[in-house]
Amino acid sequence: MSTCSVPIDLTKAFDSICHNLLLAKLHGYGVSQGAMEFLQSYLSNRQQRVKVNGILSDWLPVLCGIPQGSLLGPLLFNIFINDLNFVTRIASLRLYADDTTTYTSAANTMALELSFNQDLQKLSTWFSSNYLTVNHTKTQAMILGNFNYQPVLSIGNSIKEIESFLEILGVHIDNKFSFKAYVSAILKKVYAKIGVLRRLKRLVPSDVALILYKCCILPHLEYCSPLLLGINKTLVNKLEAANYYALKVLLNVGKDVD
């Protein structure tokens, strides 16, 4: 049994949303006429300009894209790409804003290659029809399990090289599920933060140091931590050692403190 996963990254996704197509989808989902008029007003009559080397361009109308920095922006984008879930025939999808991960499994590599490529082409057609562009430089592919030859996977006209690990939403996942690369990335961030915070140690009281620990160190150690259940003892010890070191540097406490 082989399983293949492909995280697909979209280029300038929020800025590429077609207003008319978005409104048509909202109408198809049953949004009321009053809400439709409000959203059309929200998207219409917007202008923008750019500043380069102190020189401003002319104001130009914004004909596509969703205003960012608001609660409506991500919601409207998710509604826009929601029907992407109905495109594939075999592969499953996981959507998180403009990061799309598709995966499937098959009894043998040849069947996986055939069925997955068909669904990847369907996804490529959907992106093109909805005026979205795949960022091929950030799109990856990885296969889990035993396979007797290297399959060729492609989306659009781009062939995806099979990688030994993927990075999905900041998590490094390797094809052996060892999480060595992910733990190394965590430790690099943690020790870098400790190095910065130790310089502030003498300048802040202990209660502020505790807040800095919870805000700057713990998030790195706790992010997607359930994925690390079952990793080998060596990696566990490295993570615990980093945590103890942070506590010692910032709070002057040892390993015996809960």
Side-chain angles (χ1 to χ4, degrees):
M1 177 69 71
S2 297
T3 302
C4 187
S5 177
V6 178
I8 300 169
D9 192 275
L10 303 178
T11 302
K12 299 180 181 178
F14 276 68
D15 296 331
S16 302
I17 299 301
C18 173
H19 293 169
N20 290 336
L21 185 54
L22 171 61
L23 292 170
K25 291 187 178 187
L26 290 168
H27 178 73
Y29 284 126
V31 175
S32 67
Q33 183 62 33
M36 288 288 294
E37 292 175 357
F38 167 77
L39 290 170
Q40 186 171 15
S41 174
Y42 175 73
L43 296 170
S44 303
N45 299 321
R46 291 181 175 271
Q47 293 185 322
Q48 65 180 11
R49 62 180 178 176
V50 297
K51 183 177 182 180
V52 179
N53 295 328
I55 301 175
L56 288 169
S57 69
D58 295 332
W59 286 102
L60 293 174
V62 178
L63 302 178
C64 62
I66 296 173
Q68 299 186 46
S70 66
L71 294 177
L72 271 180
L75 175 62
L76 292 175
F77 181 81
N78 287 333
I79 292 173
F80 184 84
I81 66 170
N82 185 62
D83 57 302
L84 180 62
N85 288 288
F86 306 108
V87 173
T88 57
R89 184 174 63 90
I90 297 176
S92 299
L93 293 175
R94 291 294 180 268
L95 308 180
Y96 186 85
D98 58 345
D99 288 309
T100 302
T101 301
T102 178
Y103 59 93
T104 190
S105 61
N108 59 73
T109 311
M110 186 175 295
L112 183 144
E113 179 184 40
L114 178 63
S115 62
F116 207 29
N117 273 324
Q118 290 175 346
D119 278 347
L120 286 175
Q121 295 314 307
K122 290 179 180 179
L123 290 173
S124 179
T125 300
W126 185 93
F127 292 137
S128 177
S129 300
N130 285 267
Y131 310 107
L132 296 175
T133 304
V134 176
N135 187 341
H136 293 289
T137 61
K138 293 185 178 180
T139 298
Q140 315 160 77
M142 182 178 72
I143 294 181
L144 303 174
N146 299 319
F147 49 99
N148 48 14
Y149 78 100
Q150 191 85 337
V152 177
L153 301 175
S154 61
I155 180 167
N157 297 321
S158 177
I159 296 177
K160 299 290 102 186
E161 182 178 350
I162 306 299
E163 307 284 351
S164 59
F165 76 92
L166 301 176
E167 183 176 357
I168 304 176
L169 299 177
V171 178
H172 297 260
I173 302 176
D174 61 272
N175 57 9
K176 303 297 182 183
F177 282 114
S178 69
F179 289 101
K180 289 182 180 179
Y182 182 45
V183 170
S184 296
I186 292 175
L187 294 175
K188 183 178 180 180
K189 294 175 183 177
V190 167
Y191 282 113
K193 293 289 180 64
I194 294 174
V196 172
L197 294 177
R198 72 182 303 171
R199 301 170 190 170
L200 303 175
K201 178 181 176 181
R202 299 179 182 275
L203 304 176
V204 298
S206 57
D207 56 334
V208 175
L210 179 60
I211 294 173
L212 291 173
Y213 166 75
K214 291 181 178 180
C215 293
C216 301
I217 305 297
L218 272 186
H220 292 297
L221 297 171
E222 294 180 342
Y223 180 65
C224 292
S225 56
L227 288 174
L228 302 180
L229 292 174
I231 62 174
N232 67 58
K233 190 63 176 178
T234 300
L235 297 180
V236 172
N237 290 339
K238 288 182 177 180
L239 290 171
E240 290 180 347
N243 189 38
Y244 292 143
Y245 181 61
L247 290 170
K248 180 180 179 180
V249 169
L250 297 176
L251 305 176
N252 293 318
V253 297
K255 295 184 178 182
D256 56 339
V257 176
D258 295 329

Coordinates of all heavy atoms in Angstrom, one line a residue, residues 2 21 38 40 52 56 58 62 72 98 109 111 131 148 155 159 165 181 202 209 226 231 233 243 249:
S2 N 0.6 2.2 -0.9 CA 1.4 3.4 -1.0 C 0.4 4.6 -0.8 O -0.7 4.5 -1.3 CB 2.1 3.5 -2.3 OG 3.1 2.5 -2.5
L21 N -17.4 36.2 -9.9 CA -17.5 34.7 -9.6 C -17.8 34.5 -8.1 O -18.6 33.6 -7.8 CB -16.2 34.1 -10.0 CG -16.2 32.5 -10.0 CD1 -17.3 31.9 -10.7 CD2 -14.9 32.0 -10.5
F38 N -25.1 44.0 0.1 CA -24.1 44.5 1.1 C -22.7 44.0 0.6 O -21.8 44.9 0.6 CB -24.4 44.0 2.5 CG -23.3 44.2 3.4 CD1 -23.0 45.4 4.0 CD2 -22.5 43.1 3.8 CE1 -22.0 45.6 4.9 CE2 -21.4 43.3 4.7 CZ -21.2 44.6 5.2
Q40 N -21.7 43.1 -2.3 CA -21.3 43.7 -3.6 C -20.8 45.1 -3.3 O -19.8 45.6 -3.9 CB -22.5 43.7 -4.6 CG -22.1 44.2 -5.9 CD -23.3 44.0 -6.9 OE1 -24.4 43.8 -6.6 NE2 -22.9 44.2 -8.2
V52 N 6.7 53.8 -4.8 CA 8.1 53.2 -5.1 C 9.1 54.4 -5.1 O 8.9 55.4 -5.9 CB 8.1 52.5 -6.4 CG1 9.5 52.0 -6.7 CG2 7.1 51.4 -6.4
L56 N 4.4 58.1 -6.0 CA 3.1 57.5 -6.0 C 2.5 57.3 -7.4 O 2.6 58.2 -8.2 CB 2.1 58.3 -5.1 CG 2.3 58.3 -3.6 CD1 1.5 59.3 -3.0 CD2 2.0 56.9 -3.1
D58 N -0.8 56.5 -10.0 CA -2.2 57.0 -10.0 C -3.1 56.0 -9.3 O -2.8 54.8 -9.2 CB -2.7 57.1 -11.5 CG -1.9 58.2 -12.2 OD1 -1.5 59.1 -11.5 OD2 -1.8 58.1 -13.4
V62 N -9.8 48.6 -8.0 CA -9.5 47.2 -7.7 C -10.6 46.3 -8.3 O -11.8 46.4 -7.8 CB -9.4 47.0 -6.2 CG1 -9.2 45.5 -5.8 CG2 -8.4 47.9 -5.6
L72 N -14.0 39.3 7.3 CA -14.7 38.9 6.1 C -13.8 38.3 5.1 O -14.2 37.4 4.3 CB -15.5 40.0 5.4 CG -16.9 40.2 5.9 CD1 -17.6 41.4 5.2 CD2 -17.8 39.0 5.7
D98 N -5.1 29.5 1.7 CA -4.6 29.2 0.4 C -3.6 28.0 0.3 O -3.0 27.8 -0.7 CB -3.9 30.5 -0.2 CG -2.8 30.9 0.7 OD1 -2.7 30.5 1.9 OD2 -2.0 31.8 0.3
T109 N 2.0 1.2 -6.8 CA 2.5 2.5 -7.2 C 1.9 2.9 -8.6 O 1.6 4.1 -8.8 CB 4.0 2.5 -7.3 OG1 4.6 1.9 -6.1 CG2 4.5 3.9 -7.5
A111 N -1.1 2.1 -9.9 CA -2.5 2.6 -9.7 C -2.5 4.0 -9.0 O -3.3 4.8 -9.4 CB -3.2 1.6 -8.9
Y131 N -9.5 31.4 -11.9 CA -8.5 32.5 -12.0 C -7.5 32.4 -10.8 O -7.1 33.5 -10.4 CB -9.3 33.8 -12.0 CG -10.3 33.9 -13.0 CD1 -11.7 33.9 -12.6 CD2 -10.0 34.0 -14.4 CE1 -12.7 33.9 -13.6 CE2 -11.0 34.1 -15.3 CZ -12.4 34.0 -14.9 OH -13.4 34.1 -15.9
N148 N 7.8 0.3 -6.0 CA 8.8 -0.4 -6.8 C 9.5 0.4 -7.9 O 10.4 0.0 -8.5 CB 8.2 -1.7 -7.4 CG 6.9 -1.4 -8.1 OD1 6.5 -0.2 -8.3 ND2 6.1 -2.4 -8.4
I155 N 1.1 18.5 -12.1 CA -0.1 19.3 -12.0 C 0.1 20.4 -13.0 O 1.1 21.2 -13.0 CB -0.3 19.9 -10.6 CG1 -1.5 20.7 -10.5 CG2 0.9 20.6 -10.1 CD1 -2.0 21.1 -9.1
I159 N 6.0 19.1 -13.6 CA 6.2 17.8 -13.0 C 6.8 18.0 -11.6 O 7.7 18.7 -11.3 CB 7.2 16.9 -13.8 CG1 6.6 16.6 -15.2 CG2 7.6 15.6 -13.1 CD1 7.5 15.9 -16.1
F165 N 10.6 14.6 2.4 CA 9.8 15.2 3.5 C 9.0 16.4 2.9 O 9.3 16.9 1.8 CB 10.6 15.7 4.6 CG 11.4 16.9 4.4 CD1 10.9 18.2 4.8 CD2 12.7 16.9 3.8 CE1 11.6 19.3 4.5 CE2 13.4 18.0 3.5 CZ 12.8 19.3 3.9
A181 N 13.7 16.2 11.3 CA 13.8 17.5 10.8 C 12.9 18.5 11.5 O 13.3 19.7 11.7 CB 13.5 17.5 9.3
R202 N 18.2 40.4 33.0 CA 18.5 41.3 34.1 C 17.6 42.6 34.1 O 17.6 43.3 35.1 CB 20.0 41.7 34.1 CG 20.9 40.5 34.2 CD 22.4 41.0 34.1 NE 23.3 39.9 34.2 CZ 23.8 39.4 35.4 NH1 23.3 39.9 36.5 NH2 24.6 38.4 35.3
A209 N 9.4 37.7 33.0 CA 10.1 36.6 32.4 C 9.3 35.4 32.2 O 9.4 34.7 31.1 CB 11.3 36.3 33.3
P226 N 0.7 17.0 19.5 CA 0.2 15.6 19.4 C 0.9 14.8 18.2 O 0.9 13.5 18.3 CB -1.3 15.8 19.1 CG -1.6 17.1 19.7 CD -0.4 17.9 19.5
I231 N 7.5 9.6 19.2 CA 8.9 9.8 18.6 C 9.9 9.1 19.5 O 9.6 8.9 20.7 CB 9.2 11.3 18.4 CG1 9.2 12.0 19.7 CG2 8.2 11.9 17.4 CD1 9.6 13.5 19.6
K233 N 13.1 8.3 22.0 CA 13.5 8.9 23.3 C 14.6 10.0 23.1 O 14.6 11.0 23.8 CB 14.0 7.9 24.2 CG 14.2 8.3 25.7 CD 12.9 8.7 26.3 CE 13.1 9.1 27.8 NZ 11.8 9.5 28.4
N243 N 13.5 22.9 26.9 CA 12.6 23.5 27.8 C 13.2 23.8 29.2 O 13.0 24.9 29.7 CB 11.4 22.6 28.0 CG 10.2 23.2 28.7 OD1 10.0 24.4 28.5 ND2 9.5 22.5 29.5
V249 N 17.4 29.6 32.3 CA 17.9 30.9 31.9 C 17.0 32.0 32.3 O 17.4 33.0 32.9 CB 18.1 30.9 30.4 CG1 18.4 32.3 29.9 CG2 19.3 30.0 30.0

